[in-house]
Amino acid sequence: MASEQQDTMEGPTIGRRRHLVDDILAEADIRINGDRPWDLRLHREQALDEFIARHSLGLGETYMRGDWEVPALDQFFYRILSADLPGKIKPWRNAWRILRSYLINLQSRRRAFEVGEHHYDLGNEFYQAMLDSRLTYSCGYWKNADTLEEAQTAKLDLICRKLGLQPGMRLLDIGCGWGSLVSYAAQNYGVECVGVTVSREQSAYIAEHYADLPITVHLQDYRCLDQPFDRIASVGMFEHVGRKNHRTFMHVAKRCLEKSGLLLLHTIGKNQRRSTTDPWIDQYIFPNGDLPSAGQIGDAANDLLTCEDLHNFGSDYDKTLMAWHENFEKNWAHFADRYGQRFYRMWRYYLLSCAGSFRARHIQLWQWMFSDRLPGGVERVS
């Protein structure tokens, strides 16, 4: 009898939840249990509770559990973000996260190595299966490219040309990853390179693969840097710096930059200054990450460095992520036993949700060029 009463009570409740989520998703032309590639196939009705109560975290965690499926997740998120659904659903729920980002230094020196251990140290073999031959884990440049390999090589060469690298120069790469830029610059432009990283796996990889090149890599926080360089690059690292440290980063760059030097800052960026990291991404992919806005980068450089050029090719990140996802799916069988199904669904959600975000222009990819008031300025390179 009690069970029958519970079923009777739950029926209308689930119906109301379903109607509410139906109405929300309809704004993005998404249907529950529809037959289009971007429609949501619901396997567990109770997941609707978590959609409503926990928003991004609820959506991501229920997907990781297998409570719902979408054949084309990238299209699903493209539609959600194009319709600005996150901004229409009780944005006050993010108030504490925004306040916390201003009150607490989530990217302090003590926390600096957390993202390396959590994300970048997953295993070099895993990233070799997903990325290009140089393990370039940042947006490719697809202007004249047809493949991921071509796009990443074009991006590395674009950076070198923008920096005007010449033989004998010293290049600092802040957040050097697996050494894609420093190895390319050393091999093709004859420069001496120094890199810093917070990932032990990345540091070991560079030491093993590029021992014959003039490359030195330090496993350390960027705030410890205090050497002069002709050129500085930072590619895909500024997203981990945090708003409370943007100014510190620019001070470090200015301290290390020769008077006639140039800084190239390659970073993902957000459209709104007063926003915070997606909670699912923060918890499961990039702990303590914080995308900068254009205004925040400008504030950080104010009276320290001069912006010589700003280049946005964020739409290229959509293509890059889709290429990574293709490689990930193609090679997953080699890693399935090691990482498991939950990791597979988490990583698929990460890659395709980010592709949808860039496709919707919800986030951007910028290359900033800075100098210390270089006479004559800098010629634009594309």
Side-chain angles (χ1 to χ4, degrees):
M1 184 71 178
S3 176
E4 291 178 6
Q5 184 178 13
Q6 184 178 2
D7 290 344
T8 303
M9 292 174 64
E10 283 187 359
T13 302
I14 291 175
R16 286 194 297 271
R17 290 195 301 260
R18 176 69 171 267
H19 182 69
L20 175 59
V21 176
D22 272 332
D23 287 348
I24 293 170
L25 293 179
E27 295 191 41
D29 190 26
I30 296 170
R31 301 171 192 152
I32 295 179
N33 295 330
D35 57 5
R36 299 169 300 178
W38 59 85
D39 285 333
L40 187 151
R41 277 71 158 169
L42 188 63
H43 303 315
R44 180 174 169 269
E45 289 278 352
Q46 287 75 15
L48 299 175
D49 282 338
E50 298 194 50
F51 292 0
I52 296 167
R54 302 176 63 235
H55 301 170
S56 173
L57 265 177
L59 194 67
E61 289 179 348
T62 52
Y63 181 81
M64 289 162 63
R65 287 202 302 264
D67 291 348
W68 58 276
E69 191 61 77
V70 172
L73 269 177
D74 54 310
Q75 296 182 42
F76 173 80
F77 279 101
Y78 166 72
R79 289 172 177 275
I80 282 179
L81 294 170
S82 294
D84 192 29
L85 295 192
K88 296 174 182 177
I89 305 172
K90 299 181 180 177
W92 56 266
R93 286 183 179 271
N94 281 328
W96 162 241
R97 297 181 61 82
I98 295 172
L99 181 61
R100 183 183 66 152
S101 69
Y102 281 97
L103 296 178
I104 302 171
N105 188 352
L106 299 173
Q107 299 80 18
S108 65
R109 293 193 187 211
R110 181 175 60 84
R111 296 171 179 259
F113 283 77
E114 288 182 6
V115 69
E117 295 166 357
H118 181 88
H119 189 84
Y120 297 107
D121 289 345
L122 280 171
N124 290 339
E125 185 183 355
F126 173 76
Y127 284 104
Q128 284 175 302
M130 187 180 79
L131 306 177
D132 64 301
S133 62
R134 289 184 185 269
L135 299 186
T136 317
Y137 196 24
S138 54
C139 182
Y141 189 50
W142 293 82
K143 183 179 178 181
N144 297 308
D146 296 317
T147 67
L148 178 64
E149 191 73 22
E150 291 173 353
Q152 294 295 15
T153 300
K155 186 267 301 296
L156 296 174
D157 200 67
L158 177 67
I159 291 172
C160 293
R161 289 185 290 113
K162 283 185 175 183
L163 287 170
L165 295 183
Q166 299 292 331
M169 284 185 173
R170 296 187 78 228
L171 169 67
L172 169 64
D173 187 355
I174 303 178
C176 60
W178 286 272
S180 60
L181 177 60
V182 290
S183 64
Y184 186 87
Q187 289 171 336
N188 294 279
Y189 285 84
V191 297
E192 176 190 348
C193 301
V194 174
V196 294
T197 179
V198 294
S199 165
R200 289 173 175 79
E201 290 283 336
Q202 291 177 343
S203 178
Y205 181 91
I206 295 170
E208 178 183 352
H209 287 79
Y210 302 121
D212 60 330
L213 295 175
I215 298 172
T216 303
V217 174
H218 301 290
L219 187 65
Q220 68 178 51
D221 183 76
Y222 70 94
R223 282 162 282 209
C224 301
L225 290 165
D226 192 11
Q227 297 180 41
F229 293 91
D230 301 293
R231 301 290 189 265
I232 299 176
S234 184
V235 183
M237 176 270 183
F238 198 73
E239 300 91 331
H240 304 301
V241 169
R243 68 194 69 187
K244 294 185 74 67
N245 307 297
H246 290 162
R247 184 75 170 171
T248 298
F249 179 95
M250 293 298 182
H251 272 292
V252 170
K254 184 178 176 67
R255 180 172 75 214
C256 294
L257 200 60
E258 296 281 11
K259 189 64 179 175
S260 60
L262 295 172
L263 162 67
L264 183 142
L265 181 64
H266 173 117
T267 182
I268 300 171
K270 62 188 179 184
N271 295 330
Q272 296 177 317
R273 179 190 291 262
R274 291 177 178 83
S275 63
T276 190
T277 304
D278 175 88
W280 185 87
I281 289 286
D282 180 58
Q283 182 159 330
Y284 291 99
I285 306 299
F286 294 116
N288 308 321
D290 185 17
L291 298 186
S293 70
Q296 288 171 331
I297 294 176
D299 290 345
N302 187 48
D303 288 336
L304 289 176
L305 297 167
T306 300
C307 177
E308 299 285 358
D309 188 48
L310 175 56
H311 181 185
N312 185 347
F313 53 99
S315 58
D316 284 19
Y317 225 144
D318 178 10
K319 295 179 182 179
T320 304
L321 283 153
M322 295 304 292
W324 289 346
H325 175 256
E326 182 180 351
N327 288 341
F328 169 74
E329 294 284 358
K330 182 173 62 178
N331 294 293
W332 173 247
H334 301 298
F335 304 96
D337 291 342
R338 185 188 312 178
Y339 294 110
Q341 184 67 11
R342 183 174 182 273
F343 178 93
Y344 167 76
R345 293 184 67 83
M346 177 183 75
W347 207 259
R348 183 172 187 272
Y349 187 92
Y350 152 55
L351 293 173
L352 294 178
S353 65
C354 288
S357 296
F358 281 103
R359 194 176 307 163
R361 307 310 305 280
H362 185 70
I363 46 180
Q364 313 300 325
L365 188 285
W366 298 314
Q367 282 190 352
W368 297 69
M369 288 294 298
F370 291 101
S371 77
D372 189 2
R373 301 179 184 177
L374 190 65
V378 177
E379 183 178 352
R380 166 164 279 197
V381 175
S382 63

